[in-house]
Amino acid sequence: MSLYRQVSYRSRVFFWTQAEILDDPLQFHFTASHLLEEYSCAAQIYKLTPADMCELARNSVLQSGWEMQVKKHWLGHSWYLPGSAGNDIHKTNVPTIRLAYRHATLLEEL
């Protein structure tokens, strides 16, 4: 399923790379910064805005297996709260109205 369709279905989209696990990371990437390469390609292919990129990064941290302290460092003290309540715009650079809309739409569909 394409990235555009996943977002249109209101799926939480995020990026990650297995390159650190593989024996030969250069088999799948052209640079040493594998994850940065994924974001750059996606931004170019899907014509993502800076706000889109920030939301993708925020979603990646939320979905990661990092400890709560790491998520708190990158996303803010209330990172675990849903919607705009869990957004620290100074840390994530994701517009609060964007997360409020996503949360309201989710609640509508539940």
Side-chain angles (χ1 to χ4, degrees), residues 10-65:
R10 294 176 188 85
S11 298
R12 181 177 282 171
V13 177
F14 59 95
F15 290 139
W16 68 285
T17 181
Q18 288 183 326
E20 291 78 18
I21 303 169
L22 302 173
D23 291 338
D24 187 9
L26 295 178
Q27 181 178 359
F28 300 104
H29 295 92
F30 299 106
T31 67
S33 302
H34 313 300
L35 195 54
L36 183 60
E37 184 179 342
E38 299 285 337
Y39 278 92
S40 298
C41 288
Q44 188 175 20
I45 292 169
Y46 298 109
K47 311 228 183 306
L48 300 175
T49 66
D52 295 332
M53 297 297 289
C54 291
E55 188 174 9
L56 278 171
R58 180 182 180 274
N59 288 343
S60 295
V61 173
L62 282 174
Q63 296 297 120
S64 74

Coordinates of all heavy atoms in Angstrom, one line a residue, residues 10-65:
R10 N -5.8 7.2 7.4 CA -5.5 7.7 8.7 C -4.6 6.7 9.5 O -4.7 6.6 10.7 CB -6.8 8.0 9.5 CG -7.5 9.2 8.9 CD -8.8 9.4 9.6 NE -9.6 10.4 8.9 CZ -10.4 10.2 7.9 NH1 -10.5 9.0 7.4 NH2 -11.1 11.1 7.3
S11 N -3.8 6.0 8.8 CA -2.9 5.1 9.5 C -1.7 6.0 10.0 O -1.4 7.0 9.5 CB -2.3 4.1 8.5 OG -3.3 3.3 8.0
R12 N -1.2 5.5 11.1 CA 0.0 6.2 11.6 C 1.2 5.7 10.8 O 1.6 4.6 10.9 CB 0.2 5.9 13.1 CG 1.4 6.7 13.6 CD 1.6 6.5 15.1 NE 0.7 7.3 15.8 CZ 0.5 7.3 17.1 NH1 1.1 6.4 17.8 NH2 -0.4 8.1 17.7
V13 N 1.8 6.6 10.1 CA 2.9 6.2 9.2 C 4.2 6.6 9.9 O 4.3 7.7 10.5 CB 2.8 7.0 7.8 CG1 3.9 6.7 6.9 CG2 1.5 6.6 7.2
F14 N 5.2 5.8 9.7 CA 6.5 6.1 10.3 C 7.6 5.3 9.5 O 7.3 4.4 8.7 CB 6.6 5.7 11.8 CG 6.3 4.3 12.1 CD1 7.4 3.4 12.2 CD2 5.0 3.8 12.2 CE1 7.1 2.0 12.4 CE2 4.8 2.5 12.5 CZ 5.8 1.6 12.6
F15 N 8.8 5.7 9.7 CA 10.0 5.1 9.0 C 10.9 4.5 10.0 O 11.1 4.9 11.1 CB 10.8 6.1 8.2 CG 10.1 6.7 7.0 CD1 10.2 8.0 6.7 CD2 9.3 5.9 6.2 CE1 9.5 8.5 5.6 CE2 8.7 6.4 5.1 CZ 8.8 7.7 4.8
W16 N 11.5 3.4 9.5 CA 12.6 2.8 10.2 C 13.5 2.0 9.2 O 13.1 1.8 8.1 CB 12.1 1.9 11.4 CG 11.4 0.7 10.8 CD1 10.2 0.6 10.3 CD2 11.9 -0.7 10.8 NE1 9.9 -0.7 9.9 CE2 10.9 -1.5 10.2 CE3 13.1 -1.2 11.2 CZ2 11.1 -2.8 10.0 CZ3 13.3 -2.6 11.0 CH2 12.3 -3.4 10.4
T17 N 14.6 1.6 9.6 CA 15.5 0.9 8.7 C 16.2 -0.3 9.5 O 16.5 -0.1 10.6 CB 16.6 1.8 8.1 OG1 17.4 1.1 7.2 CG2 17.5 2.5 9.2
Q18 N 16.3 -1.3 8.8 CA 17.0 -2.5 9.3 C 18.5 -2.5 9.0 O 19.2 -3.5 9.3 CB 16.4 -3.8 8.7 CG 15.0 -4.1 9.2 CD 14.5 -5.4 8.7 OE1 14.8 -5.8 7.5 NE2 13.8 -6.1 9.5
A19 N 19.0 -1.5 8.4 CA 20.3 -1.5 7.9 C 21.4 -1.8 9.0 O 22.4 -2.4 8.8 CB 20.7 -0.2 7.3
E20 N 21.1 -1.4 10.2 CA 22.0 -1.6 11.3 C 22.1 -3.1 11.7 O 23.1 -3.6 12.2 CB 21.6 -0.8 12.6 CG 21.8 0.7 12.4 CD 20.7 1.3 11.6 OE1 19.6 0.7 11.5 OE2 20.9 2.4 11.1
I21 N 21.1 -3.9 11.4 CA 21.0 -5.3 11.7 C 21.7 -6.1 10.6 O 22.2 -7.2 10.9 CB 19.5 -5.7 11.9 CG1 18.9 -4.9 12.9 CG2 19.4 -7.2 12.3 CD1 17.4 -5.0 13.0
L22 N 21.6 -5.7 9.4 CA 22.0 -6.5 8.3 C 23.5 -6.6 8.2 O 24.2 -5.7 8.7 CB 21.5 -5.9 7.0 CG 19.9 -5.9 6.9 CD1 19.5 -5.1 5.7 CD2 19.3 -7.3 6.9
D23 N 24.0 -7.6 7.6 CA 25.5 -7.7 7.4 C 26.1 -6.7 6.4 O 27.2 -6.2 6.6 CB 25.8 -9.1 6.9 CG 25.6 -10.2 7.9 OD1 25.5 -9.9 9.1 OD2 25.4 -11.4 7.5
D24 N 25.3 -6.4 5.4 CA 25.8 -5.4 4.4 C 24.8 -4.3 4.2 O 23.9 -4.3 3.3 CB 26.0 -6.2 3.1 CG 26.6 -5.3 2.0 OD1 27.1 -4.2 2.4 OD2 26.7 -5.7 0.9
P25 N 24.8 -3.3 5.1 CA 23.8 -2.2 5.0 C 23.9 -1.5 3.6 O 22.9 -1.0 3.2 CB 24.1 -1.3 6.1 CG 25.4 -1.7 6.6 CD 25.7 -3.0 6.1
L26 N 25.0 -1.4 3.0 CA 25.1 -0.7 1.7 C 24.4 -1.4 0.6 O 24.3 -0.9 -0.5 CB 26.6 -0.5 1.4 CG 27.3 0.4 2.3 CD1 28.8 0.6 1.9 CD2 26.7 1.8 2.4
Q27 N 24.0 -2.6 0.9 CA 23.2 -3.4 -0.1 C 21.9 -2.7 -0.4 O 21.3 -2.7 -1.5 CB 23.0 -4.8 0.4 CG 22.2 -5.7 -0.6 CD 22.0 -7.1 -0.1 OE1 22.5 -7.4 1.0 NE2 21.4 -7.9 -0.8
F28 N 21.3 -2.0 0.6 CA 20.0 -1.4 0.4 C 20.1 0.2 0.5 O 19.1 0.8 0.2 CB 19.1 -1.8 1.6 CG 18.9 -3.3 1.5 CD1 19.6 -4.1 2.4 CD2 18.1 -3.9 0.6 CE1 19.4 -5.5 2.4 CE2 17.9 -5.3 0.5 CZ 18.6 -6.1 1.4
H29 N 21.1 0.8 0.9 CA 21.2 2.2 1.0 C 22.5 2.7 0.3 O 23.5 2.0 0.1 CB 21.2 2.6 2.4 CG 19.9 2.3 3.1 ND1 19.7 1.2 3.8 CD2 18.8 3.0 3.2 CE1 18.5 1.1 4.3 NE2 17.9 2.3 3.9
F30 N 22.5 4.0 -0.1 CA 23.6 4.6 -0.8 C 24.4 5.5 0.1 O 25.5 6.0 -0.3 CB 23.1 5.3 -2.0 CG 22.4 4.5 -3.0 CD1 21.1 4.5 -3.1 CD2 23.1 3.6 -3.8 CE1 20.4 3.7 -4.0 CE2 22.5 2.7 -4.7 CZ 21.1 2.8 -4.8
T31 N 24.0 5.8 1.3 CA 24.7 6.7 2.2 C 24.9 6.0 3.5 O 24.2 5.0 3.8 CB 23.9 8.0 2.4 OG1 22.7 7.7 3.1 CG2 23.6 8.7 1.1
A32 N 25.7 6.6 4.4 CA 25.9 6.1 5.7 C 24.7 6.4 6.7 O 24.5 5.8 7.7 CB 27.2 6.6 6.3
S33 N 23.9 7.4 6.3 CA 22.8 7.8 7.1 C 21.5 7.2 6.5 O 20.8 7.8 5.7 CB 22.7 9.4 7.1 OG 23.8 9.9 7.6
H34 N 21.3 6.0 6.9 CA 20.2 5.2 6.2 C 18.8 5.8 6.5 O 18.1 5.9 5.5 CB 20.2 3.8 6.8 CG 21.6 3.1 6.8 ND1 22.3 3.0 5.6 CD2 22.3 2.7 7.8 CE1 23.5 2.4 6.0 NE2 23.5 2.2 7.3
L35 N 18.5 6.2 7.7 CA 17.2 6.7 8.0 C 17.0 8.1 7.3 O 15.9 8.3 6.8 CB 17.0 6.8 9.5 CG 15.6 7.0 10.0 CD1 14.7 5.9 9.4 CD2 15.6 6.9 11.5
L36 N 18.0 8.9 7.3 CA 18.0 10.2 6.7 C 17.7 10.0 5.2 O 16.9 10.7 4.6 CB 19.2 11.0 6.9 CG 19.3 12.4 6.4 CD1 18.2 13.2 7.0 CD2 20.6 13.0 6.7
E37 N 18.3 9.0 4.6 CA 18.1 8.7 3.2 C 16.6 8.3 3.0 O 16.0 8.7 2.0 CB 19.0 7.6 2.8 CG 18.9 7.2 1.3 CD 19.9 6.1 0.9 OE1 20.8 5.8 1.7 OE2 19.7 5.5 -0.2
E38 N 16.0 7.5 3.9 CA 14.6 7.1 3.7 C 13.7 8.4 3.8 O 12.8 8.5 2.9 CB 14.2 6.2 4.9 CG 14.9 4.9 5.0 CD 14.5 3.9 3.9 OE1 13.4 4.0 3.4 OE2 15.3 3.0 3.6
Y39 N 14.0 9.3 4.7 CA 13.2 10.5 4.8 C 13.4 11.4 3.5 O 12.4 11.9 3.0 CB 13.6 11.3 6.0 CG 12.9 10.8 7.3 CD1 13.5 9.9 8.1 CD2 11.7 11.3 7.7 CE1 12.9 9.5 9.3 CE2 11.0 10.9 8.8 CZ 11.7 9.9 9.6 OH 11.1 9.5 10.8
S40 N 14.6 11.5 3.1 CA 14.8 12.3 1.9 C 14.1 11.8 0.7 O 13.5 12.6 -0.1 CB 16.3 12.4 1.6 OG 17.0 13.0 2.7
C41 N 14.2 10.5 0.5 CA 13.5 9.9 -0.7 C 12.0 10.1 -0.6 O 11.4 10.4 -1.6 CB 13.9 8.4 -0.8 SG 15.6 8.1 -1.3
A42 N 11.5 9.8 0.6 CA 10.0 10.0 0.8 C 9.6 11.4 0.5 O 8.6 11.7 -0.1 CB 9.6 9.5 2.2
A43 N 10.3 12.4 1.0 CA 10.0 13.8 0.8 C 10.0 14.2 -0.6 O 9.1 14.9 -1.1 CB 11.0 14.7 1.6
Q44 N 10.9 13.6 -1.4 CA 11.0 14.0 -2.8 C 10.0 13.3 -3.6 O 9.3 13.9 -4.4 CB 12.4 13.6 -3.3 CG 12.7 14.0 -4.7 CD 14.1 13.7 -5.1 OE1 14.8 12.9 -4.5 NE2 14.6 14.4 -6.1
I45 N 9.7 12.0 -3.3 CA 8.8 11.2 -4.1 C 7.3 11.6 -3.8 O 6.6 11.8 -4.8 CB 8.9 9.7 -3.8 CG1 10.3 9.2 -4.3 CG2 7.8 8.9 -4.4 CD1 10.6 7.8 -3.9
Y46 N 7.0 11.8 -2.6 CA 5.6 12.2 -2.2 C 5.4 13.7 -2.0 O 4.3 14.0 -1.6 CB 5.2 11.4 -0.9 CG 5.3 9.9 -1.1 CD1 6.3 9.1 -0.5 CD2 4.4 9.3 -1.9 CE1 6.3 7.8 -0.7 CE2 4.4 7.9 -2.1 CZ 5.4 7.2 -1.5 OH 5.5 5.8 -1.7
K47 N 6.4 14.5 -2.3 CA 6.3 15.9 -2.2 C 5.7 16.3 -0.8 O 4.8 17.1 -0.6 CB 5.4 16.5 -3.3 CG 5.7 16.0 -4.6 CD 5.8 17.0 -5.7 CE 6.1 16.6 -7.0 NZ 7.2 15.7 -7.3
L48 N 6.4 15.8 0.2 CA 6.0 16.1 1.6 C 6.4 17.5 2.1 O 7.5 17.9 1.7 CB 6.6 15.0 2.6 CG 6.2 13.6 2.3 CD1 7.0 12.6 3.2 CD2 4.7 13.4 2.4
T49 N 5.6 18.1 2.9 CA 5.9 19.4 3.4 C 6.7 19.2 4.6 O 6.8 18.1 5.2 CB 4.6 20.1 3.8 OG1 4.0 19.4 4.9 CG2 3.6 20.2 2.6
P50 N 7.3 20.3 5.1 CA 8.1 20.2 6.4 C 7.2 19.7 7.6 O 7.7 18.9 8.4 CB 8.6 21.6 6.6 CG 8.7 22.2 5.2 CD 7.5 21.6 4.5
A51 N 6.0 20.1 7.6 CA 5.1 19.6 8.7 C 4.8 18.1 8.5 O 4.8 17.4 9.5 CB 3.7 20.4 8.6
D52 N 4.7 17.6 7.3 CA 4.6 16.2 7.1 C 5.8 15.5 7.6 O 5.7 14.4 8.2 CB 4.4 15.9 5.6 CG 3.2 16.4 4.9 OD1 2.1 16.6 5.7 OD2 3.2 16.7 3.7
M53 N 7.0 16.0 7.3 CA 8.2 15.4 7.7 C 8.3 15.3 9.2 O 8.7 14.3 9.8 CB 9.4 16.1 7.1 CG 9.4 16.0 5.6 SD 9.6 14.4 5.0 CE 11.3 14.0 5.4
C54 N 7.9 16.4 9.9 CA 8.0 16.5 11.3 C 7.0 15.5 11.9 O 7.3 14.8 12.9 CB 7.7 17.9 11.8 SG 9.0 19.1 11.4
E55 N 5.8 15.3 11.3 CA 4.9 14.4 11.9 C 5.4 12.9 11.7 O 5.2 12.1 12.6 CB 3.5 14.6 11.2 CG 2.4 13.7 11.8 CD 1.1 14.0 11.3 OE1 0.9 14.7 10.3 OE2 0.1 13.5 11.8
L56 N 6.0 12.7 10.5 CA 6.6 11.3 10.3 C 7.7 11.0 11.4 O 7.7 9.9 11.9 CB 7.2 11.3 8.9 CG 6.3 11.0 7.8 CD1 7.0 11.1 6.5 CD2 5.7 9.6 7.9
A57 N 8.5 12.0 11.7 CA 9.5 11.8 12.7 C 8.9 11.6 14.0 O 9.4 10.7 14.8 CB 10.5 13.0 12.7
R58 N 7.9 12.4 14.4 CA 7.2 12.2 15.7 C 6.6 10.8 15.8 O 6.8 10.2 16.8 CB 6.1 13.3 15.8 CG 5.4 13.2 17.1 CD 4.3 14.3 17.2 NE 3.6 14.2 18.4 CZ 2.5 13.4 18.6 NH1 2.1 12.6 17.7 NH2 1.9 13.3 19.8
N59 N 5.9 10.4 14.7 CA 5.3 9.1 14.7 C 6.4 8.0 14.8 O 6.2 7.0 15.5 CB 4.5 8.8 13.4 CG 3.3 9.6 13.4 OD1 2.8 10.1 14.4 ND2 2.7 9.8 12.2
S60 N 7.5 8.2 14.2 CA 8.6 7.2 14.3 C 9.1 7.0 15.8 O 9.4 5.9 16.2 CB 9.8 7.6 13.4 OG 9.4 7.6 12.1
V61 N 9.2 8.2 16.5 CA 9.7 8.1 17.9 C 8.6 7.5 18.7 O 8.9 6.6 19.6 CB 10.0 9.5 18.4 CG1 10.3 9.5 19.9 CG2 11.2 10.1 17.7
L62 N 7.3 7.8 18.5 CA 6.2 7.2 19.2 C 6.2 5.7 19.1 O 5.9 5.0 20.0 CB 4.9 7.8 18.8 CG 4.5 9.2 19.3 CD1 3.2 9.7 18.6 CD2 4.3 9.2 20.8
Q63 N 6.4 5.2 17.9 CA 6.3 3.8 17.6 C 7.6 3.0 17.9 O 7.6 1.8 17.9 CB 6.0 3.6 16.1 CG 4.6 4.1 15.7 CD 3.5 3.4 16.4 OE1 2.7 4.1 17.0 NE2 3.4 2.1 16.2
S64 N 8.6 3.7 18.2 CA 9.9 3.1 18.5 C 9.8 2.3 19.8 O 8.9 2.5 20.6 CB 11.0 4.1 18.6 OG 10.9 4.8 19.8
G65 N 10.8 1.5 20.0 CA 10.9 0.7 21.3 C 11.8 1.4 22.3 O 12.2 0.8 23.3

